């Protein structure tokens, strides 16, 4: 919340500059105009969230059954955490760092899951510590990302009959 209070005025100071405002409107969108003019970046970042959330679920299942953390698993967790932090920031920009966005379901899942993922970059406990996580919660952002892709028109006309 403190971080949010710092970023919100900073966002408005930067968004006043014409070049940054165009970048935000063209590639990210904002609360008044939720769909950017060029949706490719948002589609890419949303697909990455789905893939990495499913990867996190796979890592969660592996860690739960193996009850260990090989170096590759720690590395995958950490890189995924870094991307999801970037994703969180981009959607913070899109929502102008408003507090109601911070309390959204998908964002709360990020708050509970991402710090543990990034911590695994710095502490690769080969002795079995840290195998239990909240990685199963990553299914919620994956579902929300799928719905967001549908809203962005990434599936074309009538391409989202799965849901």
């Amino acid at each position: 919340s403190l971080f949010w209070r710092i970023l919100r005025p900073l966002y408005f100071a930067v968004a006043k500059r014409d070049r940054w405002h165009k970048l935000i409107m063209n590639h990210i969108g904002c609360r008044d105009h939720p769909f950017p003019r060029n949706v490719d970046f948002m589609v890419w970042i949303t697909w990455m969230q789905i893939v990495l959330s499913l990867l996190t679920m796979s890592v969660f299942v592996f860690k739960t059954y193996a009850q260990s953390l090989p170096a590759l698993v720690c590395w995958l967790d950490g890189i995924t955490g870094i991307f999801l932090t970037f994703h969180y920031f981009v959607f913070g920009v899109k929502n102008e760092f408003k507090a109601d966005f911070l309390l959204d379901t998908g964002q709360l899942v990020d708050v509970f899951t991402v710090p543990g993922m990034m911590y695994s970059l710095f502490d690769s406990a080969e002795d079995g510590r840290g195998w239990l996580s909240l990685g199963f919660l990553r299914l919620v952002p994956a579902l929300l990302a799928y719905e967001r892709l549908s809203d962005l028109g990434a599936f074309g006309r009538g391409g989202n009959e799965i849901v």
Side-chain angles (χ1 to χ4, degrees):
S1 179
L2 175 65
F3 188 61
W4 230 240
R5 289 182 185 175
I6 294 169
L7 286 177
R8 186 166 166 76
L10 186 63
Y11 165 79
F12 283 112
V14 169
K16 287 180 183 176
R17 297 180 185 232
D18 192 45
R19 185 173 60 179
W20 288 103
H21 182 72
K22 283 182 183 177
L23 177 79
I24 291 168
M25 294 304 291
N26 287 337
H27 299 288
I28 297 174
C30 66
R31 289 176 77 91
D32 296 332
H33 304 285
F35 300 109
R37 293 181 187 117
N38 181 0
V39 297
D40 294 340
F41 174 71
M42 292 306 284
V43 167
W44 176 81
I45 201 169
T46 305
W47 270 115
M48 287 301 294
Q49 184 189 24
I50 291 173
V51 168
L52 292 176
S53 290
L54 294 176
L55 175 71
T56 302
M57 271 298 304
S58 302
V59 167
F60 168 77
V61 170
F62 171 78
K63 289 190 309 188
T64 302
Y65 284 109
Q67 295 184 354
S68 66
L69 286 171
L72 177 64
V73 172
C74 292
W75 184 82
L76 282 174
D77 247 3
I79 297 300
T80 301
I82 290 170
F83 175 80
L84 291 174
T85 301
F86 172 71
H87 178 272
Y88 186 75
F89 179 77
V90 167
F91 276 86
V93 168
K94 181 179 179 123
N95 289 285
E96 300 170 355
F97 296 101
K98 297 238 179 177
D100 61 337
F101 168 73
L102 183 63
L103 300 173
D104 185 53
T105 306
Q107 307 329 307
L108 285 174
V109 170
D110 284 343
V111 168
F112 288 123
T113 58
V114 171
M117 296 160 94
M118 292 180 67
Y119 180 73
S120 68
L121 274 176
F122 306 109
D123 182 37
S124 58
E126 295 281 339
D127 60 357
R129 291 181 294 123
W131 62 269
L132 189 58
S133 71
L134 297 173
F136 64 92
L137 292 174
R138 295 299 319 164
L139 283 179
V140 174
L143 175 64
L144 295 173
Y146 181 83
E147 292 172 357
R148 198 175 310 120
L149 280 174
S150 176
D151 292 343
L152 287 170
F155 301 121
R157 186 173 187 96
N160 61 343
E161 275 85 21
I162 296 172
V163 175

